[in-house]
């Protein structure tokens, strides 16, 4: 979500005539977009913020914009006192305050003021930064902002505000504009993305949105995240299965495998509900990959309760598990009313145990791809190898002299590990050519 929010800011600044600088030291405007979902993320934000102070002292005309969940939606007086060298504070997803700051007092330049009027609003016209235009293959579009669910551990509803869905037309305009700038894959984002449209009068839900997005010419792949188990209807799953552009990839966090812990988290389902959901997803979407999130060491989580999470993961064998150690967040129900009583060392032990388990599960799942032919949409070159993803969101690296950016190609998988795979293009001469020779040929081209 923060990547999507940062893109929105970059877009607004490009509209005002700014261009991306390679390093903070060279920039006229620095936007620090922050996450506070766990204490570690918040600490990182403070660290970066402190490191910017000397720059501001050297160059008082430098504009520093603090943005995101550290600022939140409920006022930032304390931050303002603590960090007087910050010029602008912006809530999550909103480039408005920065644009206003940069354009204020420039009433002579009517054009700029008009630009601000136009682009501070979320009108869906998203301009990719110059160096990403025509290069960025996969991007994000926020469709639900904020969250009203209030899981007891989670700070997001307090910092991103109540749940609000963006209008269908605005979203589609944004998708079209990204596609016209070269983007081939879009991930629709929401804290509970399967609640999309519940607050809209026109009745379009996530299924309807997926159908409309699938009609956008030039868009090749669609994903969505994050889903909440309670809102994943069969007809949504059938829509995913039915639409070729919507990838067989579901992100649906379970958070814990014990019913009492789930209740303390106020998740609104049981471990059995989740089991049945995974079954339903697998029945309806052939070859689907499922990712989950898990928190270890929630207040009061006993060894026996934790074991239920271990057992559930071992039983379900999901493709990906994003693991986190419980971190008390200010103002949340768990922070105010429950004791953070699982020692840090024990949280780490539980974390590592699940990490090891998930590594072996992922290795086993990925090994099934060995020798298979899969479609990979290539995104970028990383240290000489092209990096792309399968429909199931598996990372695939490929060595070739061809420029594969933005291409969806059939690839034969030649190696698999728990976190990535390697493949080759069938019949590609690059595979037969020794690297030294290939490099020779490239430099012989005279570029
Ligand atoms: N809205 C999404 C994503 C929330 S943030 C959802 O509900 O799934 C991403 C993940 O961070 C969560 O799924 C959860 O596993 C983790 N998380 C959130 N609050 C946390 C906290 N206080 N401590 C540790 N992990 C947390």
């Amino acid at each position: 979500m923060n990547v999507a929010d940062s893109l929105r800011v970059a877009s607004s600044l490009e509209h005002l005539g700014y261009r991306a600088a390679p390093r903070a030291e060279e920039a006229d405007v620095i936007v620090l977009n922050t996450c506070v979902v766990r204490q570690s993320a918040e600490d990182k934000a403070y660290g970066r913020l402190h490191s910017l102070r000397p720059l501001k002292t050297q160059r008082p005309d430098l504009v520093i914009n603090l943005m995101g969940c550290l600022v939140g939606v409920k006022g930032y007086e304390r931050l303002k006192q603590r960090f007087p060298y910050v010029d602008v504070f912006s809530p999550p997803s909103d480039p408005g305050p920065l644009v206003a700051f940069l354009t204020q007092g420039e009433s002579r330049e009517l054009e700029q003021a008009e630009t601000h009027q136009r682009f501070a609003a979320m009108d869906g016209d998203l301009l990719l930064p110059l160096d990403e235009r025509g290069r960025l293959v996969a991007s994000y579009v926020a469709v639900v902002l904020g969250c009203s669910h209030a899981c007891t551990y989670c700070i997001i509803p307090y910092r991103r505000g109540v749940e609000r869905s963006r209008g269908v037309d605005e979203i589609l305009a944004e998708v079209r504009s990204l596609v016209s700038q070269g983007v081939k894959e879009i991930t629709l984002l929401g804290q509970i993305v399967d609640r999309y449209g519940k607050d809209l009068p026109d009745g379009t839900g996530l299924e309807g949105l997926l159908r409309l997005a699938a009609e956008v010419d030039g868009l090749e792949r669609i994903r969505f995240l994050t889903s909440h188990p309670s809102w994943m209807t069969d007809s949504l799953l059938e829509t995913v299965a039915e639409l070729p552009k919507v990838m067989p990839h579901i992100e649906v966090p379970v958070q814990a495998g014990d019913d009492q812990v789930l209740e303390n988290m106020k998740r609104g389902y049981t471990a059995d509900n989740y089991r049945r959901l995974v079954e339903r997803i697998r029945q309806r979407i052939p070859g689907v990959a499922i990712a989950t999130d898990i928190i270890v060491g929630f207040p009061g989580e006993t060894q026996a309760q934790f074991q239920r999470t271990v057992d559930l993961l071992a039983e379900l064998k999901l493709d990906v598990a994003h693991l986190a150690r419980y971190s008390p967040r200010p103002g949340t129900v768990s922070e105010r009313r429950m004791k953070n009583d699982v020692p840090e060392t024990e949280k780490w032990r539980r974390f590592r145990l699940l990490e090891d388990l998930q590594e072996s599960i992922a290795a086993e799942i990925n090994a099934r791809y060995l020798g298979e032919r899969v479609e990979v949409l290539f995104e970028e070159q990383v240290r000489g190898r092209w990096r792309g993803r399968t429909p199931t969101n598996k990372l695939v690296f490929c060595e070739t002299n061809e420029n594969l950016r933005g291409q969806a190609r059939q690839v034969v998988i030649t190696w698999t590990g728990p976190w990535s795979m390697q493949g080759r293009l069938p019949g590609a001469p690059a595979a037969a050519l020794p690297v030294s020779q290939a490099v020779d040929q490239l430099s012989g081209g005279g570029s």
Side-chain angles (χ1 to χ4, degrees), residues 147-154 157-158 192 265-267 333:
C147 184
S148 299
H149 190 87
C151 300
T152 55
Y153 52 81
C154 192
Y158 302 88
I192 302 187
M265 290 175 163
K266 272 230 162 32
R267 286 290 290 176
V333 172

Side-chain angles (χ1 to χ4, degrees), residues 47-61:
R48 284 293 273 155
L49 201 47
H50 285 297
S51 77
L52 294 178
R53 183 173 206 145
L55 288 181
K56 180 73 177 178
T57 314
Q58 277 165 26
R59 288 168 38 213
D61 59 335

Side-chain angles (χ1 to χ4, degrees), residues 8 11-12 15-16 95 99 103 110-127 177:
R8 183 170 301 288
S11 173
S12 300
H15 278 297
L16 292 181
V99 173
T103 51
L110 250 185
E111 230 180 294
Q112 277 202 351
E114 275 167 13
T115 314
H116 162 217
Q117 289 296 319
R118 217 178 123 212
F119 293 105
M122 289 192 171
D123 62 359
D125 190 350
L126 201 81
L127 187 67
S177 108

Side-chain angles (χ1 to χ4, degrees), residues 94-139:
D94 189 3
L98 178 60
V99 173
F101 183 88
L102 295 174
T103 51
Q104 81 192 357
E106 296 179 11
S107 48
R108 284 176 293 114
E109 297 184 43
L110 250 185
E111 230 180 294
Q112 277 202 351
E114 275 167 13
T115 314
H116 162 217
Q117 289 296 319
R118 217 178 123 212
F119 293 105
M122 289 192 171
D123 62 359
D125 190 350
L126 201 81
L127 187 67
L128 285 174
L130 200 57
D131 54 355
E132 307 238 58
R133 233 171 286 161
R135 293 174 58 87
L136 191 68
V137 175
S139 193

Side-chain angles (χ1 to χ4, degrees), residues 15 49 51 74 95 131 181 303 315 348 384 413:
H15 278 297
L49 201 47
S51 77
K74 291 183 181 154
D131 54 355
Q181 296 167 78
Q303 179 52 42
E315 174 195 331
W348 270 114
I413 300 301

